[in-house]
Amino acid sequence: GAVVSQHPSRVICKSGTSVKIECRSLDFQATTMFWYRQFPKQSLMLMATSNEGSKATYEQGVEKDKFLINHASLTLSTLTVTSAHPEDSSFYICSPTWGYEAFFGQGTRLTVV
Amino acid sequence: GEDVEQSLFLSVREGDSSVINCTYTDSSSTYLYWYKQEPGAGLQLLTYIFSNMDMKQDQRLTVLLNKKDKHLSLRIADTQTGDSAIYFCAERKGGNNRLAFGKGNQVVVIP
């Protein structure tokens, strides 16, 4: 199967600071990158969709200025949580896709204190 | 909106078979997936089935698709303790390959 590298796996940050999460597809080129958020004991909620070189499309209710997505290449996308607040604490998962196959990173547990 | 529905909890003895069910509402979905999530980890693709198939078997996993009833199931044969996890079904929606996930089904395997 495809190899996806997402890091950091865990991060604790102070309220008001920014955190960058990186997602790489190591052995394939991802035409589309999805970013999901998962609260405890809940399913994945799609935050945004991005294609390489284009601006991301955000789901309703997701602030684009707060969750900055960069998809500069077919193998790398980043999600930056800006001015983080405790309510942003969650599990963030990237999903690079190619064709009909969607793969997932190992997730980043963000805790904002 | 359209939802993917799953039951929430299943307890099964080691060595028995376990069956997880899922219903979806988008008849235009082309691919349906089963993912496994262990605690604190991302999602691992277990298997997928194309919408024109009724069944797919992959080692201990059997996927059944009833397109008429929009019902998807995953059967795990000879369930092992390592199968304890949360299982999500997902359907591919729309032209941008986005996935819609069910709420997940926690499977606990009792030794």
Side-chain angles (χ1 to χ4, degrees):
Chain A
V3 180
V4 179
S5 172
Q6 180 179 345
H7 69 88
S9 57
R10 283 182 184 273
V11 58
I12 300 173
C13 71
K14 290 185 177 180
S15 190
T17 61
S18 295
V19 173
K20 180 184 282 189
I21 302 169
E22 195 174 276
C23 181
R24 293 180 184 272
S25 52
L26 299 183
D27 56 356
F28 70 101
Q29 294 185 323
T31 50
T32 304
M33 181 71 75
F34 298 97
W35 284 94
Y36 293 87
R37 181 174 180 174
Q38 185 182 30
F39 290 105
K41 299 189 187 300
Q42 294 189 25
S43 188
L44 280 71
M45 290 177 49
L46 181 65
M47 297 175 66
T49 305
S50 73
N51 294 297
E52 182 255 347
S54 302
K55 287 186 179 179
T57 302
Y58 290 81
E59 295 299 300
Q60 191 174 7
V62 179
E63 298 176 57
K64 63 178 183 178
D65 294 329
K66 182 170 187 59
F67 299 99
L68 301 179
I69 291 172
N70 183 287
H71 193 171
S73 76
L74 288 171
T75 58
L76 172 64
S77 177
T78 60
L79 167 67
T80 301
V81 182
T82 63
S83 187
H85 287 99
E87 57 265 30
D88 298 325
S89 298
S90 189
F91 193 58
Y92 294 87
I93 306 176
C94 67
S95 176
T97 68
W98 181 84
Y100 58 79
E101 299 204 56
F103 303 97
F104 289 82
Q106 286 302 300
T108 298
R109 171 73 60 194
L110 171 63
T111 303
V112 185
V113 297
Chain B
E2 293 170 323
D3 294 319
V4 180
E5 305 223 353
Q6 288 182 256
S7 50
L8 297 178
F9 184 83
L10 175 67
S11 174
V12 61
R13 289 196 179 279
E14 188 175 15
D16 289 350
S17 294
S18 48
V19 179
I20 308 165
N21 296 299
C22 170
T23 57
Y24 62 99
T25 58
D26 188 351
S27 59
S28 66
S29 294
T30 52
Y31 288 91
L32 297 122
Y33 303 80
W34 282 103
Y35 287 90
K36 176 184 180 182
Q37 184 179 37
E38 297 185 28
L43 272 69
Q44 173 193 353
L45 175 64
L46 289 177
T47 187
Y48 62 89
I49 188 168
F50 189 50
S51 60
N52 69 351
M53 298 169 65
D54 299 322
M55 185 186 85
K56 180 178 180 180
Q57 187 159 1
D58 184 359
Q59 299 182 334
R60 293 190 296 120
L61 306 177
T62 302
V63 179
L64 295 178
L65 175 61
N66 182 328
K67 198 172 179 183
K68 174 176 171 290
D69 295 334
K70 300 186 185 67
H71 183 263
L72 183 73
S73 69
L74 174 69
R75 178 177 181 270
I76 306 173
D78 187 24
T79 310
Q80 305 296 306
T81 54
D83 295 327
S84 293
I86 298 176
Y87 293 80
F88 292 95
C89 64
E91 58 176 332
R92 182 173 294 288
K93 298 166 70 78
N96 66 351
N97 292 333
R98 59 184 292 174
L99 296 182
F101 287 87
K103 291 181 173 61
N105 188 309
Q106 182 170 6
V107 174
V108 174
V109 182
I110 303 167

